């Protein structure tokens, strides 16, 4: 009998074939698509840039006096570059600005920016007489003031030659100077020791002695607007609050005021830099500067330290002397373009105020209100409003030049 053998069933092997990944799946397709799109957009941008003409930066050359501070400011330079403009400045005194512009053999400069009206008037009138391109723009103003230190200002208050403005941390930052009494102290040969500077010690308690005559230090009258303007102010006061009106008056007043004019000869910006050093108090306790320099300094000091510098103060002469610098385009093209930009660009005009200038516009002819609002918003006290509107006047140009030449012994 034959036993039945067990049946063995052998199945065919089953093969599992993996399906290829879908191209648009999450592991491959979408990342590839995103990358490709980015590359495509970049390529298109490069092509557009290559086909679009690039506006080159234009260099505008100017010659100017103390207002060079504006164009040397880094923020101003950055704002100008946004408009593809770069400004190169040659620094000169206002008188030298006029001389160089009127004697240059070629039109080397695109614009001139003297600090005062006499130099601007001379440039404008002479170039128009010659039939040369001349376009003027008034952008801002900055009065002539006297920068000092609290101890010296308080000494003048004690002698009836100054009065305090209100407010300010640690006392007023601003004073009104009785210019006639201040000049009289100098004419009498009185020294700071004579009028009581020793009664007002330094903040650290040390006493102050100063045997120098009571007067203000100013830059050279022959070359700087502030120096010549301060001389004209002193002459105005000495002549009974009247501008000198004849050569005889010029010669008489010049003899009287010459000892009061230091005529240091340094540029206006140099005198300011000297004032803000620790040695300034002992060597030049009162210096003739522009208001905007003090305001810019106090804003920057507040930004760096969180407080105003209450040691340094400002004296406003009772007879206001507003300087009116003018931007003068000397050539069509870049010079005119820069002038229009300075007059209309909101960012540049705000920067003017941040640098202490009174910006002129249709709503504020002197720019005073907006500037003072900015100061207060930045924690810097503002001066009191004027109640005495006596305004010093310049003599006729030929008489002013005679006064400057006589007192300064100008070459």
């Amino acid at each position: 009998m034959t036993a039945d053998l067990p049946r063995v069933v052998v199945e065919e092997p089953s093969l599992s074939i993996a399906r290829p990944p879908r191209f648009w799946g999450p592991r491959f397709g979408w990342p590839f698509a995103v990358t490709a799109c980015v590359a495509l957009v970049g390529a298109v941008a490069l092509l557009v840039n290559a086909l679009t003409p690039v506006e080159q930066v234009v260099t505008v050359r100017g010659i100017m006096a103390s207002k060079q501070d504006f164009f040397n400011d880094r923020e101003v330079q950055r704002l100008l570059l946004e408009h593809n403009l770069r400004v190169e400045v040659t620094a000169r005194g206002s008188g030298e600005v006029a001389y160089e512009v009127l004697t240059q053999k070629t039109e080397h400069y695109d614009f001139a920016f003297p600090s005062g009206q006499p130099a601007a008037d001379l440039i404008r009138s002479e170039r128009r007489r010659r039939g040369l391109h001349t376009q003027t723009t008034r952008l801002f103003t900055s009065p002539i003031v006297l920068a000092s230190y609290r101890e010296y200002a308080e000494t003048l208050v004690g002698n009836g030659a100054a009065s305090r403005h209100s407010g300010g941390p640690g006392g007023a930052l601003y004073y009104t100077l009785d210019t006639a009494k201040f000049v009289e102290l100098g004419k009498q040969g009185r020294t700071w020791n004579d009028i009581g500077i020793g009664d007002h010690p330094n903040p650290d308690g040390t006493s102050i002695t100063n045997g120098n005559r009571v007067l203000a230090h100013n830059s050279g009258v022959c070359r700087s607007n502030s120096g010549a303007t301060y001389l004209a102010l002193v002459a105005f006061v000495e002549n009974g609050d009247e501008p000198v009106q004849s050569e005889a008056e010029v010669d008489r007043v010049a003899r009287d005021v010459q000892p009061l004019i230091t005529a240091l000869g340094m540029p206006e910006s140099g005198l300011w830099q000297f004032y803000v050093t620790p040695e300034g108090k002992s060597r030049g306790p009162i210096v003739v500067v522009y208001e905007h320099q003090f305001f810019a300094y106090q804003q920057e000091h507040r930004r760096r330290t969180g407080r105003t510098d209450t040691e340094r103060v400002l004296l406003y002469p009772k007879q206001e002397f507003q300087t009116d610098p003018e931007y003068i385009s000397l050539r069509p093209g870049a010079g005119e373009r820069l002038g229009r930009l300075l007059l209309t660009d909101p960012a540049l005009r705000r920067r003017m105020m941040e640098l202490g200038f009174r910006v002129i516009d249709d709503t504020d002819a002197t720019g005073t209100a907006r500037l003072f609002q900015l100061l207060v918003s930045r924690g810097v006290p503002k001066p009191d409003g004027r109640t005495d509107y006596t305004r010093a006047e310049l003599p006729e140009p030929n008489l002013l030049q005679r006064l400057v030449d006589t007192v300064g012994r100008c070459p």
Side-chain angles (χ1 to χ4, degrees):
M1 176 173 175
T2 304
D4 292 332
L5 296 175
R7 297 179 62 188
V8 178
V9 179
V10 178
E11 297 183 0
E12 294 288 334
S14 68
L15 299 178
S16 176
I17 301 175
R19 302 181 66 181
R22 296 172 58 195
F23 181 79
W24 294 109
R27 293 177 56 192
F28 179 74
W30 290 118
F32 175 83
V34 171
T35 303
C37 288
V38 171
L40 181 61
V41 170
V44 172
L46 288 174
L47 181 61
V48 170
N49 288 337
L51 296 176
T52 303
V54 177
E55 187 175 355
Q56 294 183 344
V57 174
V58 176
T59 298
V60 190
R61 293 178 174 84
I63 180 169
M64 58 193 304
S66 61
K67 305 308 179 283
Q68 63 182 291
D69 297 348
F70 176 74
F71 288 112
N72 289 337
D73 177 67
R74 290 186 177 181
E75 178 63 11
V76 170
Q77 293 171 353
R78 186 189 68 80
L79 291 170
L80 289 174
L81 279 175
E82 289 184 355
H83 297 272
N84 297 296
L85 291 177
R86 178 187 294 112
V87 175
E88 291 183 358
V89 170
T90 298
R92 294 286 187 270
S94 282
E96 294 168 322
V97 170
Y99 177 80
E100 287 201 28
V101 168
L102 296 178
T103 59
Q104 61 181 330
K105 304 303 180 187
T106 61
E107 293 285 290
H108 177 70
Y109 300 112
D110 297 293
F111 72 91
F113 207 160
S115 294
Q117 199 68 44
D121 289 343
L122 179 60
I123 293 171
R124 186 172 55 249
S125 61
E126 181 61 19
R127 285 180 61 86
R128 286 177 177 169
R129 186 187 69 80
R130 299 178 189 178
L132 300 174
H133 176 85
T134 306
Q135 186 176 72
T136 61
T137 305
R138 290 187 65 220
L139 301 169
F140 46 67
T141 64
S142 187
I144 288 289
V145 291
L146 281 71
S148 187
Y149 306 87
R150 184 170 302 281
E151 299 82 8
Y152 285 88
E154 289 296 326
T155 300
L156 292 175
V157 171
N159 286 267
S163 58
R164 302 181 194 92
H165 288 206
S166 60
L173 282 183
Y174 311 103
Y175 297 74
T176 297
L177 180 71
D178 189 319
T179 321
K181 291 182 179 179
F182 178 70
V183 168
E184 187 60 29
L185 289 172
K187 288 175 61 179
Q188 293 173 359
R190 306 287 296 279
T191 69
W192 289 105
N193 287 340
D194 292 336
I195 68 172
I197 187 62
D199 298 334
H200 302 276
N202 285 309
D204 61 4
T206 57
S207 61
I208 299 176
T209 61
N210 191 330
N212 294 321
R213 180 188 292 194
V214 177
L215 49 75
H217 293 261
N218 58 282
S219 51
V221 298
C222 299
R223 63 193 299 260
S224 83
N225 179 71
S226 64
T229 301
Y230 180 67
L231 167 59
L233 171 62
V234 173
F236 179 85
V237 172
E238 182 65 19
N239 202 44
D241 281 0
E242 292 286 343
V244 289
Q245 298 179 14
S246 68
E247 291 186 356
E249 282 189 353
V250 168
D251 296 341
R252 173 184 58 80
V253 170
R255 286 193 301 270
D256 292 339
V257 304
Q258 189 171 43
L260 309 178
I261 303 299
T262 56
L264 295 179
M266 69 172 61
E268 294 156 330
S269 59
L271 192 61
W272 170 259
Q273 293 303 326
F274 179 77
Y275 166 70
V276 296
T277 64
E279 297 79 20
K281 182 187 293 189
S282 60
R283 298 182 60 186
I286 296 184
V287 295
V288 179
V289 298
Y290 293 102
E291 179 192 63
H292 76 272
Q293 294 172 305
F294 187 83
F295 287 161
Y297 167 79
Q298 288 290 5
Q299 289 181 78
E300 176 61 18
H301 191 277
R302 180 88 184 182
R303 186 191 67 79
R304 287 188 295 103
T305 68
R307 60 181 181 83
T308 51
D309 181 352
T310 57
E311 181 65 13
R312 289 176 172 80
V313 299
L314 211 57
L315 302 168
Y316 283 89
K318 184 177 179 181
Q319 298 81 1
E320 183 181 30
F321 216 128
Q322 191 83 26
T323 62
D324 297 307
E326 288 190 17
Y327 176 94
I328 306 174
S329 170
L330 303 176
R331 290 195 289 183
E336 285 187 352
R337 179 184 169 194
L338 176 60
R340 287 194 300 269
L341 187 64
L342 295 173
L343 187 63
T344 59
D345 185 77
L348 283 167
R349 293 180 72 75
R350 178 172 178 80
R351 188 57 182 166
M352 292 174 192
M353 287 195 297
E354 292 172 346
L355 294 174
F357 294 104
R358 303 186 184 203
V359 178
I360 301 168
D361 61 25
D362 294 336
T363 62
D364 189 357
T366 64
T368 302
R370 292 177 60 206
L371 174 61
F372 286 4
Q373 289 170 3
L374 176 70
L375 292 175
V376 172
S377 71
R378 296 191 164 199
V380 177
K382 65 180 180 64
D384 289 349
R386 291 184 68 93
T387 56
D388 185 336
Y389 295 97
T390 304
R391 183 159 183 158
E393 298 178 34
L394 288 173
E396 293 296 322
N398 61 315
L399 296 178
L400 175 61
Q401 191 61 56
R402 183 182 180 94
L403 179 66
V404 168
D405 290 343
T406 303
V407 172
R409 299 185 178 92
C410 305

